[in-house]
Amino acid sequence: MNKIVLIVLCLIFSVTASCDNDSSSVDKKKNVENKVVWKMASSFPGSLNIIGEGALNFVERIDQVSNGFITIKFFEPGALVPALEVFDPVSTGAIDAAWSTPGFWAGKIPAAQFFTAIPFGPSPGELLGWYYYGGGKDLWEEIYHKHNVHPVQCLMISPEASGWFKKEIHSLEDLKGLKMRFFGLGAIVMGKLGVSTQLLAPGDIYPALELGTIDALEFSMPIIDKDFGFYQIAKHYYFPGWHQPFSTNELLINLDRWNALSSSQKAQIETTCTESVVKSLAMSETRQPEALEFYESVGVTLHRWPDEILEKYKEAWDQVVEEKASENEDFARVWNSLSAYRDKYKVWKSLGYVD
Amino acid sequence: MNKIVLIVLCLIFSVTASCDNDSSSVDKKKNVENKVVWKMASSFPGSLNIIGEGALNFVERIDQVSNGFITIKFFEPGALVPALEVFDPVSTGAIDAAWSTPGFWAGKIPAAQFFTAIPFGPSPGELLGWYYYGGGKDLWEEIYHKHNVHPVQCLMISPEASGWFKKEIHSLEDLKGLKMRFFGLGAIVMGKLGVSTQLLAPGDIYPALELGTIDALEFSMPIIDKDFGFYQIAKHYYFPGWHQPFSTNELLINLDRWNALSSSQKAQIETTCTESVVKSLAMSETRQPEALEFYESVGVTLHRWPDEILEKYKEAWDQVVEEKASENEDFARVWNSLSAYRDKYKVWKSLGYVD
């Protein structure tokens, strides 16, 4: 058979995509898969440090890992659907996939918030332990599958900062009546302490701060907040971000489309996402010090909350989580699963770690 | 074209493996790879909790991720080459790959020890930060490439325990003259404090303890040590394992064979190994509490070193690392790279973390 004929057959072959109807056997023997081409909406712009960047890295890497057989096209927020409305179109199948964070679905699925961040939650080892071997991943999948959506943990970042304040905070009294942009479960905690919170989309925060619509805000971590320029207006930056010790983002996939993948394709997406988790965590750990140096050079004061204030946040969080658990069954299930894991883990944490 | 003809062509196609000589373009368009079948020697038995288990999980997963196009056959320690002698045969190409841990090559490559564990070293986020974005991975590869070996970080475990002692240790004086099995850089630290250390292979430790050839030992972590039964003889178990806060294992690949892989195959091995890192860490975090409960049920006393003794270990370590760095250039390069990363990271650690 000459080469030209073979090339032609190759082309035919690539269109037919498999040699017979028994795709699994061909699958295994020939490494020939149905080609997957998906549209992925994003809640975060591709230019966003680590979080948006991670989406672009992921689509490049899954192309490589799948040898070009899984193509995921990244669409900027708003290009397909609005930034904070990517869940429903994935659920209906209007779009194949989305790059987002579970906390955005707090209204629809309160339990989802735990899969972005857990206030006063565990460090990565314990968190991943609960996720893989303590029931976390199974619960997340079960809860999302009710909505015809399959979640894959696909990014992780270091602790966030606690927030930017125009005025220094000397005591909890100073928080009362403040208007603050805040995300997730931490917002309810701040509400307990008298702060009036609202969730603004990233692009709306700076103007709100400038106009005095808000007095304070939490958004993300030093390197990410830097690009938004909050430091130009608020000069007091507080740590640690007790409300988001570690945060994970999700790749959302329409469940029917997920189920239609071969086991190899599922494994490729899972491993590529896990690599993204590791690299984004590594990236965010590496980039914080330079951002902190920058802030000091432009006259921002970096504060660490005194222990007694952190304890008050913790007390308020303990109340919030009890209340929320009594209101929603899935929220309670996730919290109970996590709490049981952490109770058992305590003895190991206290003995096994140097500090 | 009928189906039978197409199937026949598929078979031809799978043998010819690519449509023309431009393998990279075919590679991309047809997802057809050269099939890789490798023999992997192991330093750890497949039955060993987490560490050996991780090898078996890895070979299963890479088969799945590569859709059967990368087959790595696991061989028990001694089946191809002796457990602690897997490096050289990978270097020469006598075997394709090996599952081991860098600390075993301390004699040949002192710097390798840092890629198993760093006494008083960082937590996973900082460690992975240095590894991916602070130069760690590049240094590891560069140093091993001189030996024609390519390393891939392929497993991570939680802190080890500090060791088993037949007699309770009340002060550093009690350590003097003890005969102890110890691995890695920690062994040199213990030597500074008057302990007489030796490195015994896993299977030789229990009999040595029973016969009184050794008075104490460190091997691994609670769940792994349990299978070896040390608790039947030594009743005092000390924590934390300052000498191995986190430990990583390696997949060693003959460099020529690594270079012969397609970019897709390299990516498949890397992502599958990174997933193994995450899952083994998660696994080891999850399994320690049950092992600790078991020990308490059989009369083992769990001790935590008092802070003043940990400080003495730290002081001895500071001396050891300086001495070793003055003796070996690569050791110094790795240490300097890590130290520079950690110096810069300090400000973030102190501000960003709740505890």
Side-chain angles (χ1 to χ4, degrees):
Chain A
M1 187 155 42
N2 73 36
K3 206 159 142 180
I4 292 171
V5 172
L6 192 53
I7 291 170
V8 170
L9 290 172
C10 280
L11 291 172
I12 293 165
F13 188 82
S14 74
V15 172
T16 59
S18 76
C19 295
D20 62 21
N21 293 326
D22 180 4
S23 65
S24 64
S25 67
V26 171
D27 195 46
K28 192 71 186 173
K29 289 181 191 141
K30 302 284 175 300
N31 201 17
V32 173
E33 308 265 6
N34 289 315
K35 192 152 182 167
V36 167
V37 181
W38 282 350
K39 288 182 180 174
M40 180 174 84
S42 179
S43 293
F44 305 103
S47 60
L48 186 62
N49 214 313
I50 308 171
I51 296 176
E53 184 180 6
L56 303 182
N57 291 342
F58 170 73
V59 302
E60 189 182 328
R61 189 66 159 169
I62 191 65
D63 177 70
Q64 193 178 31
V65 168
S66 70
N67 203 13
F69 265 60
I70 300 177
T71 302
I72 300 184
K73 294 185 183 167
F74 173 85
F75 288 85
E76 292 287 348
L80 293 177
V81 291
L84 303 190
E85 294 170 28
V86 302
F87 192 94
D88 288 347
V90 173
S91 171
T92 62
I95 51 175
D96 309 292
W99 183 264
S100 194
T101 197
F104 285 147
W105 329 126
K108 185 195 309 283
I109 311 171
Q113 295 171 97
F114 287 119
F115 298 103
T116 291
I118 302 150
F120 297 99
S123 60
E126 185 183 358
L127 184 62
L128 293 165
W130 171 66
Y131 183 72
Y132 280 106
Y133 301 104
K137 181 171 185 280
D138 294 341
L139 278 167
W140 193 5
E141 290 176 359
E142 184 207 315
I143 291 167
Y144 274 39
H145 284 186
K146 294 181 206 166
H147 298 267
N148 204 42
V149 172
H150 182 76
V152 185
Q153 187 182 69
C154 212
L155 186 122
M156 185 184 284
I157 55 169
S158 306
E160 297 212 339
S162 195
W164 295 92
F165 294 80
K166 283 186 182 171
K167 291 187 183 162
E168 192 172 348
I169 306 297
H170 299 283
S171 73
L172 289 180
E173 278 305 305
D174 293 343
L175 291 177
K176 287 189 178 142
L178 281 188
K179 292 166 287 172
M180 187 169 188
R181 187 270 183 194
F182 219 106
F183 167 91
L185 291 163
I188 315 171
V189 174
M190 295 305 279
K192 282 260 174 219
L193 297 170
V195 176
S196 168
T197 67
Q198 53 186 303
L199 180 61
L200 297 170
D204 298 332
I205 304 173
Y206 187 95
L209 190 67
E210 200 169 25
L211 289 168
T213 314
I214 54 174
D215 311 302
L217 69 107
E218 75 74 51
F219 180 61
S220 186
M221 58 202 335
I223 191 68
I224 295 179
D225 286 355
K226 183 166 168 271
D227 290 344
F228 287 82
F230 308 132
Y231 65 89
Q232 292 160 1
I233 306 173
K235 297 292 183 188
H236 299 277
Y237 199 19
Y238 280 78
F239 297 87
W242 52 269
H243 63 301
Q244 288 189 233
F246 286 90
S247 307
T248 51
N249 281 13
E250 61 194 3
L251 170 66
L252 299 172
I253 302 166
N254 174 271
L255 184 57
D256 304 319
R257 256 151 260 181
W258 172 256
N259 287 335
L261 297 177
S262 71
S263 61
S264 170
Q265 289 171 324
K266 286 178 184 169
Q268 288 169 353
I269 290 177
E270 285 174 344
T271 56
T272 304
C273 274
T274 308
E275 184 185 65
S276 168
V277 164
V278 166
K279 289 195 174 175
S280 53
L281 177 62
M283 212 183 267
S284 68
E285 289 286 82
T286 303
R287 294 185 189 170
Q288 303 320 312
E290 65 198 68
L292 294 175
E293 274 173 30
F294 168 79
Y295 289 133
E296 292 201 303
S297 77
V298 295
V300 168
T301 307
L302 306 175
H303 301 267
R304 188 177 162 98
W305 294 116
D307 286 349
E308 56 273 22
I309 289 192
L310 282 174
E311 277 161 29
K312 292 293 174 192
Y313 286 137
K314 175 72 168 61
E315 283 168 23
W317 160 244
D318 289 341
Q319 284 176 33
V320 165
V321 75
E322 285 303 315
E323 288 165 16
K324 290 281 153 195
S326 71
E327 289 167 10
N328 182 279
E329 197 189 330
D330 279 339
F331 189 98
R333 286 168 69 218
V334 177
W335 178 243
N336 291 339
S337 163
L338 177 72
S339 301
Y341 187 92
R342 300 200 74 186
D343 280 348
K344 208 174 163 193
Y345 182 87
K346 261 182 200 159
V347 56
W348 167 240
K349 188 178 178 182
S350 66
L351 271 178
Y353 283 81
V354 171
D355 51 30
Chain B
M1 187 155 42
N2 74 37
K3 205 159 138 178
I4 292 169
V5 172
L6 193 53
I7 290 171
V8 170
L9 291 173
C10 279
L11 291 171
I12 294 165
F13 188 80
S14 73
V15 173
T16 58
S18 75
C19 293
D20 61 21
N21 293 328
D22 179 3
S23 64
S24 64
S25 68
V26 171
D27 196 48
K28 193 71 188 171
K29 288 182 191 141
K30 302 287 174 293
N31 201 17
V32 173
E33 305 268 6
N34 289 315
K35 191 152 181 165
V36 167
V37 181
W38 282 349
K39 289 182 181 175
M40 179 174 84
S42 179
S43 294
F44 304 103
S47 60
L48 186 63
N49 215 314
I50 309 171
I51 295 176
E53 184 180 5
L56 303 182
N57 291 342
F58 169 73
V59 301
E60 189 181 329
R61 190 64 159 170
I62 191 65
D63 178 69
Q64 194 178 31
V65 168
S66 70
N67 203 16
F69 265 60
I70 300 177
T71 302
I72 300 184
K73 293 185 184 167
F74 172 85
F75 288 85
E76 292 288 348
L80 293 178
V81 290
L84 303 191
E85 295 169 28
V86 303
F87 192 94
D88 288 346
V90 173
S91 171
T92 61
I95 53 176
D96 310 293
W99 183 265
S100 194
T101 196
F104 285 147
W105 328 126
K108 187 194 309 281
I109 312 171
Q113 296 171 96
F114 287 119
F115 298 103
T116 290
I118 301 150
F120 297 98
S123 60
E126 185 183 357
L127 184 62
L128 293 166
W130 171 67
Y131 182 71
Y132 281 105
Y133 301 104
K137 182 171 184 282
D138 294 341
L139 278 168
W140 194 3
E141 291 176 359
E142 184 207 316
I143 291 168
Y144 275 38
H145 284 187
K146 294 182 208 166
H147 299 267
N148 204 41
V149 172
H150 182 76
V152 185
Q153 187 183 69
C154 211
L155 187 122
M156 186 184 285
I157 55 169
S158 306
E160 297 213 339
S162 196
W164 295 92
F165 294 80
K166 284 187 182 171
K167 291 189 182 162
E168 192 171 349
I169 305 298
H170 298 285
S171 73
L172 288 180
E173 278 304 306
D174 293 342
L175 290 177
K176 287 190 179 141
L178 280 188
K179 290 166 289 171
M180 187 169 188
R181 186 270 183 196
F182 219 107
F183 166 92
L185 291 164
I188 315 171
V189 173
M190 295 307 278
K192 282 259 176 224
L193 296 169
V195 176
S196 167
T197 67
Q198 52 186 304
L199 181 60
L200 297 170
D204 299 331
I205 304 173
Y206 187 95
L209 190 67
E210 201 170 24
L211 290 168
T213 315
I214 54 174
D215 311 302
L217 70 107
E218 74 74 49
F219 180 61
S220 185
M221 56 200 339
I223 192 67
I224 294 179
D225 286 353
K226 184 166 167 273
D227 290 344
F228 288 81
F230 308 130
Y231 65 89
Q232 292 159 1
I233 305 173
K235 297 294 183 187
H236 298 278
Y237 199 20
Y238 279 79
F239 297 88
W242 52 270
H243 62 300
Q244 288 189 233
F246 287 90
S247 307
T248 52
N249 282 12
E250 62 193 1
L251 171 65
L252 299 173
I253 302 167
N254 173 271
L255 183 57
D256 304 320
R257 257 152 258 182
W258 173 256
N259 287 336
L261 297 177
S262 71
S263 61
S264 170
Q265 288 171 324
K266 287 178 183 169
Q268 288 169 353
I269 290 177
E270 285 174 344
T271 57
T272 304
C273 274
T274 308
E275 184 184 65
S276 170
V277 164
V278 166
K279 289 195 172 173
S280 54
L281 177 63
M283 211 183 266
S284 68
E285 288 286 82
T286 302
R287 294 184 189 170
Q288 303 319 313
E290 65 198 65
L292 294 175
E293 275 173 32
F294 168 78
Y295 290 131
E296 292 200 304
S297 77
V298 295
V300 167
T301 306
L302 305 174
H303 301 267
R304 189 176 160 97
W305 295 116
D307 286 349
E308 57 273 21
I309 287 192
L310 282 174
E311 277 161 29
K312 293 291 174 193
Y313 286 136
K314 176 71 168 62
E315 282 168 23
W317 161 244
D318 289 342
Q319 285 177 31
V320 165
V321 75
E322 285 303 316
E323 287 165 16
K324 292 279 153 194
S326 71
E327 289 166 10
N328 183 280
E329 196 189 331
D330 280 339
F331 189 98
R333 286 168 69 217
V334 177
W335 178 244
N336 291 339
S337 164
L338 177 71
S339 301
Y341 187 93
R342 301 200 74 186
D343 279 348
K344 207 172 164 193
Y345 182 88
K346 263 183 198 156
V347 56
W348 167 240
K349 187 178 178 184
S350 66
L351 272 178
Y353 284 79
V354 171
D355 53 28

